[in-house]
Amino acid sequence: MKKHYAKFLTTPPQGAVFRAKTPEAVITAYKSGKVMFQGAAPDKASQKWVTEAVTSYKSVNHKRQPSAHGFAPDPTLFAKNHIGTDEAGTGDYFGPITVAGVYLNKQQIQQLQDIGVTDSKTLTDAKIRQLASTIMKLQIPYSLLILHNEKYNQLQKKGWSQGKMKAMLHQHVIGNLVKKIGNVSLEGIVIDQFCEPAIYQRHIRSENLSLISNTYFLTKAESYSTPVAAGSIIARASFLKEMDSLSEQVGIELPKGASKKVDQTIAKIINANGESILHKLAKTHFANTKKARNYL
């Protein structure tokens, strides 16, 4: 991209690989891989790269298919009526796991793209909250499940891996959505892949569930599928809301992630409320629980 815009390059902002100003748009590419198109006609400027990305994905997917898991979707599905699911909170010590799924038809896919629905990892928390609210107001079919910490910790002690918990949540979200949309056209289901499809199937089979036909798995699916991106936004917004509620309950702002700051916050909570409260707030099997003892 930088070579393509060589004639239009300007001084990039901090953290950017390049910035270019063309008659159509201002294009800023960041080290994270995110590219922003702003200005007079950003959609027109970005369309070339969207088309190229899908073509590239199709080419790469075709080459690796013989050794892949066989559940990769055809890129043409991304423009058709389909369901997408994604989750949030899995790597965070505090807070629940949230999983959301969204069904979009062709017209709704374009509608959500137009309002800025994209990979939630490239959006601020404020933008995620705003987009989630907008999606819900549009009465787009979605399903959201929250695995609260007490239940999470109970399942973990029963021997459930986090992978099994996520698989069951995704599968129930899909089942809920399929019932909700009824007999409308459904070309496929895309799950943002967090484990190999064979392992996913093993998890849900152990609880007497099975894959619905035309279910596909794809890593970083939110970069390709608008329903997955929308599901990611709803799941993340729900996680943020739950974190707000838990922070209010304990009287301390709970940090996201699993950093040293999290360890220090755990110690403060234990000193003020005792360790048992962590079962309501956190995924207690994370190593942070033990690390926090260094700050007591």
Side-chain angles (χ1 to χ4, degrees):
M1 290 180 75
K2 187 175 181 179
K3 288 180 181 179
H4 178 81
Y5 293 115
K7 296 180 182 179
F8 305 98
L9 295 177
T10 64
T11 303
Q14 186 175 2
V17 177
F18 74 84
R19 170 170 282 177
K21 292 187 178 181
T22 73
E24 294 176 340
V26 177
I27 302 97
T28 309
Y30 294 91
K31 293 177 183 178
S32 64
K34 175 184 176 181
V35 181
M36 290 186 65
F37 293 84
Q38 301 166 299
D43 291 342
K44 184 177 179 181
S46 65
Q47 188 56 47
K48 163 185 166 55
W49 302 105
V50 172
T51 303
E52 186 166 315
V54 172
T55 302
S56 174
Y57 167 80
K58 188 172 183 179
S59 173
V60 171
N61 184 56
H62 175 73
K63 291 176 182 176
R64 74 183 181 194
Q65 192 62 30
S67 60
H69 51 56
F71 284 89
D74 188 298
T76 60
L77 176 62
F78 304 139
K80 298 177 181 178
N81 306 349
H82 68 286
I83 285 172
T85 65
D86 204 353
E87 76 279 337
T90 59
D92 297 89
Y93 176 79
F94 291 113
I97 290 178
T98 57
V99 176
V102 173
Y103 167 83
L104 298 177
N105 59 35
K106 296 176 185 178
Q107 293 73 30
Q108 291 167 330
I109 288 172
Q110 186 60 55
Q111 183 181 19
L112 290 200
Q113 288 175 350
D114 290 343
I115 65 172
V117 170
T118 185
D119 178 3
S120 65
K121 296 180 184 66
T122 68
L123 303 171
T124 64
D125 286 348
K127 185 65 174 178
I128 286 170
R129 292 179 195 262
Q130 180 259 311
L131 283 173
S133 176
T134 301
I135 292 168
M136 293 173 186
K137 288 177 183 176
L138 291 172
Q139 298 185 326
I140 284 169
Y142 76 93
S143 176
L144 169 68
L145 290 178
I146 302 171
L147 180 59
H148 293 284
N149 294 102
E150 285 184 293
K151 184 64 175 178
Y152 177 100
N153 292 319
Q154 289 172 10
L155 291 172
Q156 196 275 329
K157 287 181 180 178
K158 282 178 60 178
W160 282 42
S161 67
Q162 192 182 91
K164 179 174 179 176
M165 296 181 210
K166 289 192 287 184
M168 292 299 296
L169 288 166
H170 276 264
Q171 202 60 26
H172 283 303
V173 160
I174 291 166
N176 291 345
L177 255 180
V178 169
K179 289 179 182 177
K180 185 177 286 189
I181 64 177
N183 295 322
V184 302
S185 172
L186 177 61
E187 301 290 338
I189 299 162
V190 179
I191 297 172
D192 187 51
Q193 184 176 327
F194 55 86
C195 68
E196 288 298 315
I199 295 174
Y200 182 100
Q201 290 183 87
R202 187 176 71 206
H203 287 323
I204 65 173
R205 272 200 306 267
S206 70
E207 302 300 320
N208 300 313
L209 295 179
S210 59
L211 286 183
I212 296 173
S213 60
N214 296 326
T215 296
Y216 305 100
F217 297 82
L218 179 65
T219 56
K220 298 183 179 179
E222 65 274 19
S223 298
Y224 301 98
S225 164
T226 302
V228 174
S232 175
I233 287 168
I234 292 174
R236 181 67 179 175
S238 173
F239 172 76
L240 293 172
K241 182 179 179 181
E242 292 295 320
M243 285 288 279
D244 290 343
S245 176
L246 292 173
S247 295
E248 186 176 345
Q249 289 175 40
V250 78
I252 297 176
E253 183 177 353
L254 300 178
K256 303 175 189 71
S259 65
K260 181 179 178 180
K261 184 178 180 180
V262 168
D263 302 339
Q264 295 168 338
T265 303
I266 297 167
K268 290 179 183 178
I269 291 170
I270 292 173
N271 284 330
N273 303 281
E275 190 166 344
S276 62
I277 197 173
L278 294 177
H279 292 282
K280 297 181 180 180
L281 305 174
K283 305 170 186 72
T284 55
H285 68 103
F286 277 31
N288 301 84
T289 304
K290 291 183 180 179
K291 291 179 181 178
R293 296 193 176 103
N294 295 325
Y295 299 96
L296 292 174

